[in-house]
């Protein structure tokens, strides 16, 4: 990988004010994620995964240290700049899908392209292409309420991917899904990662997710406890790992 | 993007239909109420001016003091000079003398004996030289039978009274009363027609004769109890009337002289002035309440909307929509709702108002014993002002509601988005 890294994190800490002073949700994080990675922040609940994802997603700023996402120093961005970075480069996938109930599948997926002011025909093509890839082209006209949880999360993936972002951040994407659906959406994301070269960064403590990751970054009490790149065989063999 | 937002608005009824109906209903009620009250106010002024107070009225100061006794002995004894003076100096008003007096109305039988008798209230107007009076009092429309007096010995009776006294057209009635100088006076008149004004106080016991008839009956040749002035525009201009009266009274009033003429504008006579003042307060209060209630309701629905749309707003922020842009779209939505709702509500209010303006609503039965000069038919009055008085608050209150509730967008910490969206 010769391209410049997608994420560079230098000495980042995030303190939260609490009654007894401050609490370090993240301490001294050093991390580099290269383009095309399919990696995950792994660790028990409360270990700081979401906090780190927030910082990378320019939704929050670090207390100290430096975060560079796609060449931009996140802590130097104002609200407008951060919004622009998210709009142009980042895709988000949430635990609870968060589809907009009054809109159809098509319209939900189309929304990020509207923010980009893409023209109509191009939008259509892009939406139908990504729905095709997640296997929901025939549900384009349905409302979220008419879909199963797995289908909803695939719509959410399509929504995050439709603008072909450089980086997709997925926080516990399988937490509400059964094993079958979890495997399906991970297969989908893996395929998208391979076909489109999109960088994926997960936050998870789900073994079903972990077994697909090509790099496992273990967080514990706000620190990186282990950072392991696994070879293809380990991944395809589906070894869960037992990290905690 | 606009289409996207419109779709959301249309599909999410609680976001569009409910506030729209609230606005429309509020605006419709306000507009209608305003039309209704304008109508009552306009009618009250018109009726009062036509039958009693004029736009301005000149009497002697003494007559004004004791007006309720109808003291003809305190009348203006000489009016022709004053009238020609007024007509020369105040040509934008038309001036006319009238006499109001009370007397006994006696119906003789064939042998001249009293068949029936009763007190009655007479109004004498210049029927034969002043065509305007006939129109002002709507005499031709009020005529339920017969014709208007052409001869000096003819009299018009209220329909109700004619029925009570069992009189036929052509029958003779005798007026019995006193002259200005205190001696008894009597005259035989012929019933030439009957009237119904739709004004309870007059319909109950009134009659109408020509000015000349009353003058000779009361021995008030050349005099009148009052001189009424009407703006030729037909529109009662309160300030103008005040100026006119002040000016007139400066010239004519004299502390010593109780027979000096005194001019009073409509709103300083009778209880109408208070009524008009009350009306002003009332409409202000009505509108204030409306704006207040609407704003609360819509602010609330705006708040509920923001709560309901918490997820949507979060997603839009997460996917990189600018906060200002998001806030603006919320405001546009509320303007759209306000505008549509106000237009619909305004149209409904005006339609109802117009219906009541042309149809009228007779509530005379509710005022059987009133002595107030007031038409018993309510008519609304539609005006552009009525529309705007509903339209403006209808437009502003959803905007105001959203303006405040939408501020939550700015308080939203994006740092919490991942957490919020994972509940
Ligand atoms: N806004 C906040 N204020 C105070 N403490 C917080 C806040 N957000 C997170 N934390 C704390 O930071 C730690 C890491 O949280 P989080 O990143 O959500 O963990 P994870 O996603 O790994 O479960 C937790 O102990 C949590 O209680
Ligand atoms: Mg978390």
């Amino acid at each position: 990988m010769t391209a410049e890294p997608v994420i560079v994190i230098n000495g980042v800490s995030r303190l939260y004010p609490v009654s007894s002073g401050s609490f370090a949700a993240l301490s001294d994080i050093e991390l580099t994620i290269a383009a095309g990675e399919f990696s995950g922040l792994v660790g028990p609940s409360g270990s700081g995964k979401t906090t780190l994802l927030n910082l990378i997603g320019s939704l929050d700023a670090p207390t100290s240290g430096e975060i560079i996402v796609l060449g931009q120093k996140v802590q130097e961005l104002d609200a407008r700049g951060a919004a622009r970075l998210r709009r142009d480069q980042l895709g988000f996938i949430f635990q609870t899908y968060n589809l907009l109930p009054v809109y159809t599948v098509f319209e939900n997926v189309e929304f990020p392209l509207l923010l980009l002011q893409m023209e109509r025909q191009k939008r259509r093509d892009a939406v139908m292409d990504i729905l095709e890839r997640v296997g929901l082209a025939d549900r384009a006209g349905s409302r979220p309420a008419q879909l199963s949880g797995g289908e909803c999360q695939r719509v959410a993936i399509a929504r995050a991917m439709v603008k072909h972002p450089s980086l997709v951040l997925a926080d516990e994407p399988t937490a509400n899904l059964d094993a079958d659906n979890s495997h399906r959406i991970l297969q989908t994301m893996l395929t998208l990662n391979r076909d489109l070269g999109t960088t994926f960064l997960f936050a998870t403590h789900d073994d079903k997710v972990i077994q697909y990751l090509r790099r496992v970054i273990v967080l514990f009490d706000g620190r990186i406890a282990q950072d392991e790149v696994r070879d293809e065989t380990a991944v395809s063999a589906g070894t869960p790992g037992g990290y905690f | 993007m606009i289409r996207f937002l419109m779709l959301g608005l249309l599909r999410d009824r609680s976001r569009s239909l409910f506030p729209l109906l609230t606005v429309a209903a509020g605006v419709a009620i306000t507009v209608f109420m305003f039309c209704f009250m304008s109508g009552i106010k306009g009618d009250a002024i018109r009726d009062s001016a036509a039958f009693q107070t004029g736009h301005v009225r000149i009497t002697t100061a003494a007559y004004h003091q004791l007006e309720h006794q109808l003291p003809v002995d305190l009348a203006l004894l000489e009016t022709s000079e004053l009238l020609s003076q007024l007509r020369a100096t105040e040509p934008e008003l038309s001036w006319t003398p009238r006499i109001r007096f009370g007397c006994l109305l006696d119906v003789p039988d064939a042998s001249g004996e009293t068949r029936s008798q009763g007190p009655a209230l007479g109004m004498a107007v210049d029927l034969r030289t002043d065509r305007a009076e006939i129109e002002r009092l709507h005499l031709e429309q009020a005529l339920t039978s017969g014709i208007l007096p052409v001869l000096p010995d003819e009299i018009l009776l209220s329909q109700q009274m004619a029925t009570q006294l069992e009189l036929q057209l052509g029958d003779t009635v005798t007026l019995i009363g006193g002259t200005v100088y205190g001696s008894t006076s009597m005259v035989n008149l012929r019933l030439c027609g009957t009237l119904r004004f739709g004004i309870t106080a007059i319909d109950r016991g009134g009659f109408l004769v020509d000015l000349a008839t009353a003058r000779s009956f009361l021995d008030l040749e050349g005099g009148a109890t009052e001189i009424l002035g009407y703006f030729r525009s037909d529109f009662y201009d309160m300030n103008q009337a005040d100026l006119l009266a002040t000016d007139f009274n400066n010239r004519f009033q004299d502390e010593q002289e109780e027979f000096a003429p005194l001019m009073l504008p409509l709103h300083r006579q009778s209880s109408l002035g208070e009524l008009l003042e009350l009306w002003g307060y009332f409409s202000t209060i009505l509108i204030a309440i409306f704006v207040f209630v609407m704003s609360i309701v819509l602010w609330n629905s705006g708040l509920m909307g923001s709560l309901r749309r918490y997820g949507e707003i979060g997603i839009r922020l997460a996917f990189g929509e600018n906060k200002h842009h998001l806030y603006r779209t919320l405001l546009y939505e509320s303007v759209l709702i306000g505008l549509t709702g106000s237009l619909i509500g305004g149209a409904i209010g005006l339609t109802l108002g117009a219906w009541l303006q042309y149809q009228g609503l007779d509530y005379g039965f509710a005022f059987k014993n009133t002595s107030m000069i007031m038409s018993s038919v309510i008519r609304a009055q539609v005006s552009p002002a009525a529309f705007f008085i509903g339209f403006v608050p209808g437009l502003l209150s959803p905007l105001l509601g959203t303006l405040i509730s939408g501020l939550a967008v700015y308080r939203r910490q994006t740092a919490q988005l991942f957490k919020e969206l994972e509940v």
Side-chain angles (χ1 to χ4, degrees):
Chain A
M1 283 175 211
T2 52
E4 88 178 59
V6 173
I7 304 169
V8 178
I9 299 175
N10 290 323
V12 159
S13 299
R14 178 65 170 99
L15 306 182
Y16 286 117
V18 286
S19 51
S20 57
S22 65
F23 167 82
L26 292 173
S27 320
D28 231 358
I29 303 289
E30 300 281 342
L31 185 66
T32 303
I33 305 274
E37 279 194 30
F38 198 78
S39 325
L41 305 169
V42 169
S45 183
S47 57
K49 305 182 295 293
T50 299
T51 305
L52 188 50
L53 227 48
N54 259 331
L55 293 176
I56 296 168
S58 76
L59 295 169
D60 191 14
T63 312
S64 61
E66 179 183 64
I67 299 185
I68 301 168
V69 176
L70 295 154
Q72 300 199 49
K73 290 187 180 170
V74 170
Q75 70 271 31
E76 287 174 5
L77 294 175
D78 59 5
R80 200 177 279 269
R84 197 174 305 124
L85 172 66
R86 293 197 297 273
R87 183 192 70 190
D88 295 345
Q89 311 267 24
L90 305 185
F92 292 92
I93 297 168
F94 308 94
Q95 177 179 327
T96 49
Y97 333 135
N98 286 299
L99 302 178
L100 306 180
V102 297
Y103 295 103
T104 62
V105 166
F106 183 94
E107 289 156 354
N108 265 283
V109 176
E110 187 186 25
F111 175 69
L113 303 182
L114 292 172
L115 288 180
L116 289 170
Q117 300 186 311
M118 187 183 279
E119 64 179 73
R120 194 184 165 85
Q121 190 53 47
K122 275 177 137 175
R123 281 199 318 258
R124 254 202 94 70
D125 295 345
V127 172
M128 287 321 289
D129 174 69
I130 200 74
L131 283 178
E132 205 82 60
R133 287 174 193 271
V134 298
L136 286 172
D138 55 332
R139 306 304 301 269
S142 307
R143 295 281 183 90
Q146 300 164 315
L147 303 180
S148 72
E151 287 171 325
C152 280
Q153 195 59 303
R154 270 149 60 210
V155 175
I157 293 168
R159 179 176 63 182
M161 296 292 301
V162 67
K163 63 187 176 196
H164 293 191
S166 310
L167 172 63
V168 170
L169 302 171
D171 198 0
E172 315 272 9
T174 56
N176 290 347
L177 299 179
D178 60 22
D180 267 5
N181 275 307
S182 298
H183 286 297
R184 277 197 70 177
I185 69 141
L186 277 152
Q187 290 289 358
T188 305
M189 288 193 272
L190 206 51
T191 311
L192 288 167
N193 166 259
R194 200 164 43 224
D195 293 356
L196 303 175
T198 313
T199 309
F200 278 83
L201 182 61
F202 293 87
T204 187
H205 59 267
D206 181 354
D207 279 341
K208 297 190 292 298
V209 178
I210 294 167
Q211 66 186 5
Y212 284 89
L213 299 176
R214 284 201 295 268
R215 177 179 175 191
V216 176
I217 302 148
V218 181
L219 280 182
F220 198 81
D221 279 352
R223 292 174 188 278
I224 295 180
Q226 191 182 340
D227 185 351
E228 182 198 18
V229 179
R230 307 151 86 197
D231 57 34
E232 285 298 320
T233 47
V235 174
S236 48
T239 36
Y243 289 97
F244 37 84
Chain B
M1 190 76 188
I2 293 170
R3 194 181 144 267
F4 180 82
L5 292 170
M6 285 297 292
L7 275 179
L9 195 62
L10 290 178
R11 288 187 196 153
D12 190 349
R13 297 249 169 107
S14 67
R15 205 166 119 197
S16 48
L17 198 63
F18 170 68
L20 195 89
L21 289 179
T22 314
V23 173
V27 171
I29 291 170
T30 311
V31 169
F32 176 72
M33 284 297 284
F34 192 84
C35 290
F36 183 77
M37 294 196 312
S38 301
I40 292 180
K41 178 186 161 190
D43 279 352
I45 289 180
R46 212 172 21 255
D47 290 343
S48 162
F51 287 99
Q52 194 169 15
T53 59
H55 286 152
V56 294
R57 189 180 66 166
I58 301 167
T59 60
T60 65
Y63 183 90
H64 175 66
Q65 294 289 317
L66 300 172
E67 188 184 340
H68 55 281
Q69 298 175 6
L70 298 176
V72 281
D73 52 324
L74 300 179
L76 297 156
L77 294 178
E78 208 300 304
T79 54
S80 54
E81 194 182 321
L82 186 55
L83 270 169
S84 47
Q85 221 181 89
L86 285 167
R87 285 175 180 143
T89 55
E90 313 293 349
E92 71 273 25
L93 282 84
S94 62
W95 300 95
T96 190
R98 280 191 198 166
I99 298 172
R100 291 196 296 138
F101 61 104
C103 63
L104 212 57
L105 217 144
D106 184 280
V107 183
D109 60 17
S111 58
E113 297 292 314
T114 294
R115 195 177 79 206
S116 50
Q117 203 178 52
L121 218 60
M123 180 154 78
V125 302
D126 188 355
L127 288 175
R128 284 184 296 166
T129 64
D130 193 353
R131 180 77 207 161
E133 285 281 77
I134 295 175
E135 265 150 35
R136 195 171 285 135
L137 295 167
H138 300 292
L139 288 182
E140 270 156 3
Q141 292 90 316
L143 212 55
T144 51
S145 68
I147 54 162
L148 295 181
V150 258
L151 300 170
D153 68 341
E154 290 180 323
I155 183 173
L156 289 171
L157 232 57
S158 84
Q159 171 75 58
Q160 196 178 334
M161 201 153 180
T163 312
Q164 267 167 21
L165 298 174
E166 296 170 13
L167 282 169
Q168 305 291 322
L169 289 184
D171 283 357
T172 299
V173 292
T174 308
L175 301 191
I176 304 168
T179 68
V180 174
Y181 304 104
S183 50
T184 306
S185 174
M186 216 189 302
V187 64
N188 284 334
L189 300 174
R190 208 171 53 79
L191 182 62
C192 68
T194 55
L195 295 168
R196 199 190 96 83
F197 286 111
I199 294 174
T200 313
I202 295 181
D203 285 336
R204 240 185 317 128
F207 66 90
L208 197 137
V209 292
D210 183 59
L211 192 67
T213 311
R215 278 176 168 169
S216 76
F217 174 67
L218 297 170
D219 200 0
L220 187 58
E221 224 49 66
T225 54
E226 57 219 71
I227 293 174
L228 303 181
Y230 293 94
F231 289 106
R232 292 189 191 276
S233 64
D234 231 9
F235 171 74
Y236 179 57
D237 184 339
M238 221 186 230
N239 299 325
Q240 182 66 28
D242 261 330
L243 283 177
L244 203 68
T246 312
D247 184 46
F248 180 90
N249 294 336
N250 281 342
R251 279 190 288 140
F252 285 94
Q253 272 301 288
D254 179 351
E255 294 287 323
Q256 309 303 316
E257 178 52 273
E258 61 170 359
F259 282 92
L262 170 72
M263 184 188 288
L264 288 176
L266 177 147
H267 63 278
R268 299 198 189 282
Q269 306 172 43
S270 70
S271 51
L272 201 65
E274 290 153 41
L275 203 72
L276 292 186
E277 201 169 315
L278 214 64
W279 189 87
Y281 290 135
F282 193 54
S283 49
T284 312
I285 289 172
L286 178 86
I287 288 155
I289 289 177
F290 165 66
V291 174
F292 184 72
V293 169
M294 289 270 281
S295 298
I296 296 273
V297 168
L298 289 164
W299 177 27
N300 247 302
S301 83
L303 279 180
M304 280 179 347
S306 313
L307 277 180
R308 280 173 39 84
R309 298 173 72 186
Y310 207 65
E312 177 197 334
I313 291 169
I315 288 292
R316 286 167 64 175
L317 288 174
F319 275 82
E321 184 168 351
N322 190 289
K323 283 184 182 194
H324 309 300
H325 182 268
L326 207 161
Y327 188 53
R328 265 206 311 277
T329 63
L330 293 180
L331 295 186
Y332 291 155
E333 279 185 24
S334 71
V335 168
L336 196 68
I337 298 264
L339 198 69
T340 321
S342 297
L343 284 176
I344 293 174
I348 294 174
L350 287 183
T351 308
L352 287 176
W355 174 78
L356 195 57
Q357 177 168 346
Y358 295 113
Q359 198 68 27
L361 192 68
D362 195 331
Y363 68 111
F365 56 86
F367 286 85
K368 279 208 159 44
N369 297 312
T370 189
S371 63
M372 211 184 335
I373 299 290
M374 204 166 158
S375 170
S376 64
V377 177
I378 292 187
R379 285 183 191 282
Q381 162 110 51
V382 173
S383 64
F387 182 75
F388 283 107
I389 265 162
F391 184 82
V392 172
L395 185 65
L396 289 186
S397 42
L399 183 63
L400 215 70
T402 311
L403 217 59
I404 297 168
S405 61
L407 284 176
V409 170
Y410 286 101
R411 285 196 295 271
R412 195 84 170 262
Q413 295 288 316
T414 48
Q416 299 302 316
L417 279 180
F418 256 120
K419 294 205 174 68
E420 287 170 3
L421 296 174
E422 267 158 31
V423 187

